[in-house]
Amino acid sequence: MKTFIKCTLATAVLAASVTTAQAETEMVIVSWGGAYTKSQNEAYHKPYMKEHPSIKIINDDSASEGAAKLRAQAEAGKVTWDVVDVVPDAAIALCDEGLVMEIDHDKMLAAAPDGTLPSVDFGDAIISPCFIPQIVYSTTIGFRTDKVGATAPSTMSDVFDMKKYPGKRALQKSPAGNLEWALIADGVATADVYKELATEAGVARAFKKLDTIKKDVVWWTKGAQPGQLLADGEVVMASAYNGRLFAAIEENKQPVGMMWDAQVFELDGWVIPTDAPNKAEALKYVKFATDTQRLADQSKYISYGPARKSSAALVGKHATLGIDMGPHMPTAPANAKNVLFKDVNFWADNNDELAEKFEAWLAKG
Amino acid sequence: MASNTEALKTADGISLKVSLQRSLRRKKRNALLLVAPLFLFILVTFLFPIFDMLIRGVDNKITQEILPTTVVALAKWDPASGQLPDEDIFKAFTVDGQVAAKAKTISRLGKRLNYEKSGFSSLFRKTGRQLKKFDPEKMTTSYKENLISIDKKWGKVETGSLIHRESGRYTKSYYLTAFDLTQNSEGNIEWKDADSSIYIDLFKRTLWLSCLITFLTILFGYPIAYLLATLKAKTSNLLMILVLLPFWTSLLVRTSAWIALLQKEGVINDTLVAIGIIGDESRLSMIHNSTGTLIAMTHILLPFMILPLFSVMKTINPSYVRAARSMGATGFTAFRRVYFPNTIAGIGAGGILVFILSIGFYITPALVGGVDGTMISNFIAYHISTSLNWGLAAALGAILLSLVLVLYILYDKLVGIDNMKLG
């Protein structure tokens, strides 16, 4: 037994010395996988590892359960993630629970090339003190160009108009987004949507408007579904993430069109766990990955807009398709005429209650 | 006689009785040591997590942890009086709140209380931000007025009464929510409005769909298992591969295959339209509803019914049926009175297996279930990974667990668990 213990100890010491000799730090970055992680790999990870040969970035594709897994790791007292890609709702929840660290955006992130402070450059995108904004994406409406007749739908009221555009619609199975759209289609100005939705009458009004299309809606839960439903001809219109629609139109050349009216702007960004194993390295990494050039670079690989204002001018061509990415950004002026900013703080307060109402409404048949 | 027994000794001089006892004890200890790793494994990975989950469904230590002095002070206050709490309670809250705001834990409590009432999340976040800067030395008003100036909600009795209600070590609120119940401001338990109650219907639907799926798998699986058990080995082996092949295919692939088959523009509808059975306008909706869940889940769970049935049928001696026939029973009577009763054990085993598996299914219903084909597990998954309301997820899970246990006991009473055969 004694020899066994000695052997184990010797191996452990040896292993430890080997690790220090190489001085390589493994940094775990959690993201969504697929085309999205690929775009981050090309735009951020590869150039960063080139600059810092001692860092090895490990990709973990579990962002869809990021908040739940991070909480479980923290409860077990063993956090293994360094940087996590999250949507704002999760960033707020994790920040509330103290599971991710607060960021001093002006001190910890890179200023714009002209010296603009990050807090100004990111602006409203900093929705929580823990959140480091990365991209702006939008949920918008895609439609089958061969099934909507001569005039394509152009406003949100067209989506709710069963006479003008008969046929099924696919919408995300969640109250957020749909309630707002119902109010816009019912004539509420985009700027007043959340004021209206904060009242009981406003919620009732939204559900009443949704009632008018309820029997023609297919509800989707995974981001890949609406594109498939459109491609299969199951639905005439579908709400979808703009990047998915871009892929359907430009990469797969499907007869799909896109309507930008009342697109819902949403953000995606980084958070750093409070107990991240390589916190200092993680901070260095996010400073690099969210500078003006890097954010612009990402749009070469995926049609999501950079979250900094200063990056907009640097958006170039798609890396493989060679098309100008500027006009495909949700933030492009031509697309962003009527935009709804998703109010994450409203949803942080009301999601529990409205999700129950939404499910009960769905079940009523 | 006594001296005789004493005389019985082993070679090394110990009495035979003691020696026998020793060797039996050693055997027992060895057996225990052999199962110990498995027992520990189950304890750590199965029993302990389940116990932890059961605790989570009632656990509420968060309020006492974050507002230790407020909870003590609040105990003296009677929310039914309709009066706002006294100044010393507001002072206690300010002191606790300042500590919690500096430790960044105050908004955790806000998130917890937001499950009970919308708006608490932002109320606590906002209050925490203000309290962090607050300096009692420079205060010109009372603690009560100071908090009300931060947010008007602090001036309402309901705010205090909710904290008062949820200040105990344990809470029943998760279980109340799981049964579509709620507590009103007087603390009475009442049913939720119809426009926000969902869980009871979901439990009913989950049980109903699972029963239906179990019945369908018996209906389809029985003849196949019979064929497998009675055909020549060469043919039945081939058939067995056909049963097992989908079993080895990924669940997601099989679910997606059903989407391609069943959808409006899918293979089945296209064929029906092409041969003129239905018109192009009246294509059948077989997916994104409970029909989709039924079809896809029945197919996915079929092997779990066929395999136990097959293994039981394999052991039935064919001469039983022959004997019945030779004594004048018709083919149907021989099946009903002789063959079928022999297969009950297989039906029981397969039925329990399929039923328990289908009660916990969530990927397939999420993809093909639409609105009326989703099950309670979809909501447990939602509360675990999206809304992060683990207390409610635990309560729903515990209710599901006890439902399964009740059904298991019922089964034992009706059929007898000893009659179950898995192979």
Side-chain angles (χ1 to χ4, degrees):
Chain A
M1 198 62 186
K2 258 187 186 158
T3 22
F4 174 72
I5 292 174
K6 267 186 196 162
C7 274
T8 324
L9 275 177
T11 325
V13 170
L14 198 69
S17 62
V18 168
T19 333
T20 28
Q22 278 181 342
E24 190 173 77
T25 315
E26 287 193 343
M27 193 159 66
V28 180
I29 297 187
V30 182
S31 186
W32 302 87
Y36 189 64
T37 292
K38 212 177 127 204
S39 74
Q40 293 176 327
N41 220 8
E42 298 293 331
Y44 315 149
H45 301 355
K46 279 187 186 169
Y48 188 73
M49 285 194 280
K50 211 169 170 189
E51 260 182 47
H52 302 85
S54 61
I55 303 285
K56 193 174 167 222
I57 291 177
I58 312 276
N59 281 307
D60 181 326
D61 296 344
S62 40
S64 55
E65 260 127 33
K69 284 193 174 170
L70 186 57
R71 195 204 250 180
Q73 287 185 5
E75 281 191 10
K78 178 111 187 77
V79 174
T80 55
W81 292 348
D82 293 304
V83 183
V84 188
D85 195 298
V86 290
V87 292
D89 314 18
I92 291 181
L94 291 170
C95 200
D96 278 354
E97 298 196 18
L99 293 174
V100 292
M101 65 179 285
E102 283 188 18
I103 300 289
D104 186 339
H105 292 79
D106 283 342
K107 282 196 186 125
M108 295 175 177
L109 299 180
D114 63 358
T116 311
L117 284 175
S119 58
V120 180
D121 204 12
F122 284 110
D124 295 335
I126 302 173
I127 43 83
S128 152
C130 301
F131 186 69
I132 306 160
Q134 185 187 158
I135 56 150
V136 177
Y137 68 99
S138 83
T139 307
T140 181
I141 298 286
F143 54 85
R144 280 286 291 244
T145 45
D146 53 342
K147 294 197 174 173
V148 290
T151 46
S154 58
T155 65
M156 197 37 75
S157 3
D158 289 344
V159 178
F160 284 74
D161 192 336
M162 295 307 299
K163 280 206 197 83
K164 211 161 142 197
Y165 297 101
K168 295 240 175 202
R169 280 97 167 107
L171 294 174
Q172 188 174 7
K173 197 174 176 186
S174 106
N178 291 323
L179 293 181
E180 289 98 317
W181 275 348
L183 287 179
I184 291 172
D186 206 32
V188 177
T190 325
D192 302 330
V193 163
Y194 287 103
K195 223 188 295 163
E196 181 78 12
L197 212 51
T199 64
E200 260 179 51
V203 174
R205 182 176 173 188
F207 277 118
K208 209 175 149 206
K209 187 69 184 176
L210 279 171
D211 272 334
T212 60
I213 56 166
K214 187 175 180 185
K215 67 174 178 41
D216 293 298
V217 176
V218 175
W219 301 97
W220 59 265
T221 47
K222 305 256 180 289
Q225 281 175 304
Q228 195 59 45
L229 289 165
L230 280 172
D232 292 345
E234 275 293 279
V235 296
V236 176
M237 296 180 203
S239 72
Y241 304 135
N242 73 297
R244 302 272 186 177
L245 288 173
F246 174 82
I249 299 168
E250 299 295 339
E251 288 167 23
N252 304 332
K253 304 285 177 205
Q254 273 160 358
V256 173
M258 212 163 158
M259 184 191 100
W260 290 102
D261 182 56
Q263 57 164 323
V264 183
F265 264 13
E266 293 180 60
L267 297 156
D268 194 88
W270 304 112
V271 287
I272 298 174
T274 315
D275 303 316
N278 307 298
K279 212 167 175 176
E281 293 299 339
L283 278 166
K284 247 196 262 170
Y285 167 82
V286 292
K287 183 172 184 179
F288 171 85
T290 58
D291 73 14
T292 303
Q293 184 60 47
R294 244 48 61 182
L295 284 188
D297 284 350
Q298 195 189 5
S299 59
K300 277 190 217 164
Y301 306 97
I302 201 155
S303 66
Y304 294 132
R308 302 178 84 114
K309 292 179 198 87
S310 60
S311 299
L314 300 173
V315 170
K317 284 186 168 29
H318 190 281
T320 52
L321 296 173
I323 38 178
D324 236 340
M325 291 303 279
H328 293 283
M329 295 287 126
T331 40
N335 302 335
K337 279 181 207 143
N338 184 23
V339 173
L340 179 76
F341 286 88
K342 188 173 166 191
D343 187 338
V344 282
N345 286 307
F346 173 85
W347 284 109
D349 265 349
N350 295 289
N351 191 53
D352 296 321
E353 189 185 329
L354 288 178
E356 262 180 18
K357 285 214 166 106
F358 183 73
E359 290 300 333
W361 173 80
L362 281 178
K364 265 189 294 189
Chain B
M1 283 303 277
S3 59
N4 237 359
T5 4
E6 264 167 39
L8 280 176
K9 282 184 180 173
T10 50
D12 45 359
I14 310 164
S15 101
L16 185 63
K17 202 174 164 194
V18 175
S19 173
L20 193 69
Q21 266 171 353
R22 259 188 212 163
S23 102
L24 276 177
R25 216 179 299 140
R26 205 176 311 127
K27 239 183 200 165
K28 214 182 258 174
R29 199 185 55 212
N30 284 348
L32 273 178
L33 277 176
L34 279 174
V35 291
L38 179 66
F39 177 73
L40 272 177
F41 180 75
I42 289 182
L43 188 78
V44 171
T45 62
F46 187 70
L47 294 177
F48 181 69
I50 286 187
F51 180 73
D52 184 57
M53 184 196 77
L54 292 175
I55 294 290
R56 253 174 219 280
V58 291
D59 181 74
N60 196 45
K61 60 175 178 291
I62 182 165
T63 320
Q64 293 180 356
E65 265 173 19
I66 292 172
L67 303 174
T69 53
T70 315
V71 166
V72 177
L74 259 182
K76 286 176 286 184
W77 175 60
D78 177 22
S81 67
Q83 299 286 313
L84 276 183
D86 296 334
E87 174 71 6
D88 59 326
I89 295 178
F90 279 98
K91 187 181 173 192
F93 181 85
T94 308
V95 173
D96 284 342
Q98 272 196 297
V99 174
K102 279 178 190 140
K104 291 174 195 157
T105 53
I106 189 162
S107 38
R108 279 169 72 177
L109 183 60
K111 190 163 186 302
R112 157 73 188 93
L113 294 174
N114 204 64
Y115 298 145
E116 312 300 324
K117 184 144 180 55
S118 290
F120 268 71
S121 184
S122 61
L123 174 66
F124 272 68
R125 216 176 298 130
K126 187 175 169 191
T127 310
R129 254 196 322 264
Q130 297 297 323
L131 286 183
K132 220 192 269 182
K133 310 184 263 200
F134 171 74
D135 182 1
E137 305 272 304
K138 291 184 191 145
M139 188 173 66
T140 50
T141 57
S142 66
Y143 281 100
K144 188 190 282 188
E145 280 160 31
N146 179 53
L147 273 172
I148 295 172
S149 75
I150 291 175
D151 196 306
K152 286 197 294 288
K153 280 188 188 145
W154 292 116
K156 288 190 175 158
V157 180
E158 291 85 55
T159 309
S161 78
L162 180 66
I163 299 176
H164 181 264
R165 195 185 88 200
E166 294 303 331
S167 61
R169 176 70 182 77
Y170 297 101
T171 178
K172 49 182 179 292
S173 75
Y174 297 124
Y175 276 89
L176 291 179
T177 311
F179 284 113
D180 288 332
L181 293 161
T182 180
Q183 265 175 304
N184 61 15
S185 45
E186 282 96 54
N188 301 321
I189 294 169
E190 53 187 33
W191 291 103
K192 275 194 181 169
D193 298 339
D195 70 352
S196 51
S197 52
I198 44 181
Y199 296 109
I200 289 198
D201 285 337
L202 264 169
F203 275 115
K204 280 192 210 150
R205 186 199 293 160
T206 307
L207 288 180
W208 163 241
L209 283 177
S210 304
C211 285
L212 215 55
I213 288 161
T214 313
F215 175 74
L216 286 174
T217 51
I218 296 174
L219 197 70
F220 296 132
Y222 201 90
I224 300 172
Y226 180 76
L227 260 185
L228 284 173
T230 50
L231 280 179
K232 278 197 302 270
K234 208 175 143 195
T235 345
S236 82
N237 279 346
L238 187 74
L239 275 180
M240 193 54 142
I241 289 176
L242 289 182
V243 170
L244 288 176
L245 212 56
F247 194 54
W248 294 330
T249 318
S250 141
L251 183 76
L252 274 175
V253 172
R254 278 182 289 165
T255 307
S256 321
W258 276 114
I259 297 177
L261 283 173
L262 294 176
Q263 61 190 1
K264 280 246 157 122
E265 309 274 332
V267 180
I268 294 178
N269 264 316
D270 281 352
T271 317
L272 289 178
V273 171
I275 56 176
I277 291 182
I278 52 169
D280 203 17
E281 291 310 300
S282 52
R283 286 171 177 259
L284 306 171
S285 333
M286 293 178 288
I287 205 154
H288 306 305
N289 53 29
S290 52
T291 319
T293 305
L294 271 182
I295 296 176
M297 279 180 62
T298 303
H299 170 245
I300 287 164
L301 292 170
L302 210 47
F304 292 96
M305 179 56 84
I306 294 175
L307 294 176
L309 269 178
F310 166 75
S311 66
V312 167
M313 287 177 176
K314 201 78 185 149
T315 60
I316 298 173
N317 194 333
S319 54
Y320 294 167
V321 175
R322 263 183 259 141
R325 292 299 300 273
S326 75
M327 283 187 269
T330 60
F332 180 68
T333 312
F335 170 77
R336 190 173 59 88
R337 305 273 308 268
V338 177
Y339 193 80
F340 182 74
N342 274 307
T343 59
I344 290 280
I347 294 181
I352 277 217
L353 208 59
V354 170
F355 185 82
I356 290 177
L357 280 174
S358 59
I359 249 185
F361 246 58
Y362 75 94
I363 297 175
T364 306
L367 288 175
V368 302
V371 174
D372 60 354
T374 43
M375 316 234 268
I376 195 73
S377 334
N378 296 94
F379 279 81
I380 298 178
Y382 166 78
H383 286 305
I384 289 280
S385 61
T386 308
S387 80
L388 292 186
N389 190 348
W390 287 3
L392 181 54
L396 290 169
I399 295 170
L400 196 60
L401 180 68
S402 37
L403 267 176
V404 172
L405 288 179
V406 166
L407 287 166
Y408 182 82
I409 292 166
L410 213 67
Y411 176 88
D412 189 34
K413 285 261 162 3
L414 293 176
V415 187
I417 218 69
D418 304 334
N419 281 331
M420 190 166 94
K421 257 189 209 161
L422 277 167

